[in-house]
Coordinates of all heavy atoms in Angstrom, one line a residue:
I5 N -118.3 -22.4 47.5 CA -117.3 -22.3 48.6 C -117.3 -21.0 49.3 O -117.4 -20.9 50.5 CB -115.9 -22.8 48.3 CG1 -115.8 -24.2 47.8 CG2 -114.9 -22.5 49.3 CD1 -114.6 -24.7 47.2
N6 N -117.3 -20.0 48.6 CA -117.4 -18.6 49.1 C -118.7 -18.5 49.8 O -118.6 -17.8 50.9 CB -117.2 -17.5 48.0 CG -117.3 -16.2 48.6 OD1 -116.3 -15.8 49.4 ND2 -118.2 -15.3 48.2
E7 N -119.8 -18.8 49.3 CA -121.0 -18.7 49.9 C -121.1 -19.4 51.3 O -121.6 -18.9 52.2 CB -122.2 -19.2 49.0 CG -123.6 -18.9 49.5 CD -124.0 -17.5 49.3 OE1 -123.3 -16.7 48.7 OE2 -125.1 -17.2 49.8
A8 N -120.5 -20.6 51.3 CA -120.5 -21.5 52.5 C -119.6 -20.7 53.6 O -120.0 -20.8 54.7 CB -120.0 -22.9 52.2
I9 N -118.6 -20.2 53.2 CA -117.7 -19.5 54.1 C -118.3 -18.3 54.7 O -118.4 -18.1 55.9 CB -116.3 -19.1 53.5 CG1 -115.5 -20.4 53.2 CG2 -115.6 -18.1 54.3 CD1 -114.3 -20.1 52.1
E10 N -119.0 -17.5 53.8 CA -119.7 -16.3 54.3 C -120.8 -16.7 55.3 O -121.0 -16.0 56.3 CB -120.2 -15.5 53.1 CG -119.2 -14.9 52.4 CD -118.3 -13.9 53.2 OE1 -118.8 -13.1 54.0 OE2 -117.0 -14.0 53.1
L11 N -121.6 -17.8 54.9 CA -122.6 -18.2 56.0 C -122.1 -18.7 57.2 O -122.6 -18.5 58.3 CB -123.5 -19.3 55.2 CG -124.3 -18.8 54.2 CD1 -124.9 -20.0 53.2 CD2 -125.5 -18.0 54.7
A12 N -120.8 -19.3 57.1 CA -120.3 -19.9 58.4 C -119.9 -18.6 59.2 O -119.8 -18.8 60.6 CB -119.0 -20.8 58.1
K13 N -119.3 -17.7 58.6 CA -118.9 -16.5 59.4 C -120.1 -15.9 60.1 O -120.0 -15.4 61.3 CB -118.3 -15.4 58.3 CG -117.0 -15.6 57.9 CD -116.5 -14.6 56.9 CE -115.3 -14.9 56.2 NZ -114.8 -13.9 55.2
R14 N -121.2 -15.9 59.5 CA -122.5 -15.3 60.2 C -123.2 -16.3 61.1 O -123.7 -15.8 62.1 CB -123.5 -14.9 59.1 CG -123.0 -13.6 58.4 CD -124.2 -12.9 57.8 NE -125.4 -13.6 57.4 CZ -125.6 -14.0 56.2 NH1 -124.9 -13.7 55.2 NH2 -126.8 -14.6 55.9
L15 N -123.1 -17.6 60.9 CA -123.9 -18.5 61.7 C -123.1 -19.5 62.6 O -123.8 -19.9 63.5 CB -124.7 -19.3 60.7 CG -125.7 -18.6 59.6 CD1 -126.2 -19.6 58.7 CD2 -126.8 -17.9 60.3
A16 N -121.9 -19.6 62.3 CA -121.2 -20.7 63.0 C -120.1 -20.1 63.9 O -120.0 -19.0 64.1 CB -120.7 -21.7 62.1
S17 N -119.4 -21.1 64.5 CA -118.3 -20.8 65.5 C -117.2 -20.0 64.7 O -117.1 -20.1 63.5 CB -117.7 -22.0 66.1 OG -117.0 -22.7 65.1
D18 N -116.2 -19.5 65.5 CA -115.2 -18.6 64.9 C -114.3 -19.4 64.0 O -113.7 -18.8 63.0 CB -114.3 -17.9 66.1 CG -115.1 -16.9 66.7 OD1 -116.2 -16.4 66.1 OD2 -114.7 -16.5 67.8
N19 N -114.1 -20.7 64.3 CA -113.1 -21.5 63.6 C -113.8 -22.2 62.3 O -113.1 -22.6 61.4 CB -112.6 -22.6 64.4 CG -111.7 -22.1 65.5 OD1 -111.1 -21.0 65.4 ND2 -111.7 -22.9 66.7
A20 N -115.1 -22.1 62.2 CA -115.9 -22.8 61.2 C -115.6 -22.4 59.8 O -115.4 -23.1 58.9 CB -117.3 -22.6 61.4
P21 N -115.4 -21.0 59.5 CA -115.1 -20.6 58.1 C -113.7 -21.3 57.6 O -113.8 -21.9 56.4 CB -114.9 -19.1 58.1 CG -115.8 -18.6 59.3 CD -115.5 -19.8 60.3
K22 N -112.8 -21.3 58.4 CA -111.5 -21.9 57.9 C -111.7 -23.4 57.7 O -111.2 -24.0 56.8 CB -110.5 -21.6 59.0 CG -109.1 -22.3 58.5 CD -108.0 -21.7 59.6 CE -106.7 -22.4 59.2 NZ -105.6 -22.0 60.2
F23 N -112.2 -24.1 58.7 CA -112.6 -25.6 58.7 C -113.4 -26.0 57.5 O -113.0 -26.9 56.6 CB -113.3 -26.0 59.9 CG -113.7 -27.3 59.9 CD1 -112.8 -28.5 60.1 CD2 -115.0 -27.6 59.7 CE1 -113.3 -29.8 59.9 CE2 -115.5 -29.0 59.7 CZ -114.6 -30.0 59.8
I24 N -114.5 -25.2 57.2 CA -115.4 -25.4 56.2 C -114.6 -25.2 54.7 O -114.9 -25.9 53.9 CB -116.6 -24.5 56.3 CG1 -117.5 -25.2 57.3 CG2 -117.4 -24.6 54.9 CD1 -118.8 -24.3 57.7
N25 N -113.8 -24.2 54.7 CA -113.1 -23.9 53.5 C -112.2 -25.2 53.2 O -111.9 -25.5 52.0 CB -112.3 -22.7 53.7 CG -111.6 -22.3 52.4 OD1 -112.0 -22.4 51.3 ND2 -110.3 -21.9 52.5
G26 N -111.5 -25.7 54.2 CA -110.5 -26.8 54.0 C -111.3 -28.1 53.6 O -110.8 -28.7 52.7
V27 N -112.5 -28.4 54.2 CA -113.2 -29.5 53.8 C -113.7 -29.4 52.3 O -113.5 -30.2 51.5 CB -114.3 -29.8 54.7 CG1 -115.1 -31.0 54.2 CG2 -113.7 -30.2 56.0
L28 N -114.2 -28.3 52.0 CA -114.9 -28.1 50.6 C -113.8 -28.0 49.6 O -113.9 -28.4 48.4 CB -115.7 -26.8 50.6 CG -116.9 -26.8 51.5 CD1 -117.7 -25.5 51.4 CD2 -117.8 -28.0 51.1
D29 N -112.5 -27.6 50.0 CA -111.5 -27.5 49.0 C -111.1 -28.9 48.6 O -110.8 -29.2 47.5 CB -110.3 -26.7 49.6 CG -109.2 -26.4 48.5 OD1 -109.6 -26.0 47.4 OD2 -108.1 -26.7 48.7
K30 N -111.1 -29.8 49.6 CA -110.8 -31.2 49.3 C -112.0 -31.8 48.5 O -111.7 -32.7 47.6 CB -110.6 -32.0 50.7 CG -109.5 -31.6 51.4 CD -109.3 -32.4 52.8 CE -108.3 -31.8 53.7 NZ -108.3 -32.4 55.0
V31 N -113.1 -31.6 48.9 CA -114.3 -32.0 48.0 C -114.2 -31.6 46.5 O -114.3 -32.4 45.6 CB -115.7 -31.6 48.6 CG1 -116.8 -32.0 47.7 CG2 -115.8 -32.2 50.1
K32 N -113.8 -30.3 46.4 CA -113.7 -29.7 45.0 C -112.7 -30.5 44.3 O -112.8 -30.7 43.0 CB -113.3 -28.2 45.1 CG -113.2 -27.6 43.9 CD -112.8 -26.1 44.0 CE -111.2 -26.0 44.5 NZ -110.7 -24.7 44.4
R33 N -111.6 -30.9 44.9 CA -110.5 -31.4 44.2 C -110.7 -33.1 43.9 O -110.0 -33.6 43.0 CB -109.2 -31.4 45.0 CG -108.6 -29.9 44.8 CD -107.3 -29.7 45.3 NE -107.4 -29.2 46.7 CZ -106.6 -29.6 47.7 NH1 -105.8 -30.5 47.5 NH2 -106.7 -29.1 48.9
A34 N -111.7 -33.6 44.7 CA -111.9 -35.0 44.5 C -112.5 -35.4 43.2 O -113.2 -34.7 42.6 CB -112.6 -35.6 45.8

């Protein structure tokens, strides 16, 4: 999750890190 967030900060839109964190947190708990 941390790696995905860091990559999103560098590569994606400004809102992407928060969005990706939220989706991955749900995936992790499923």
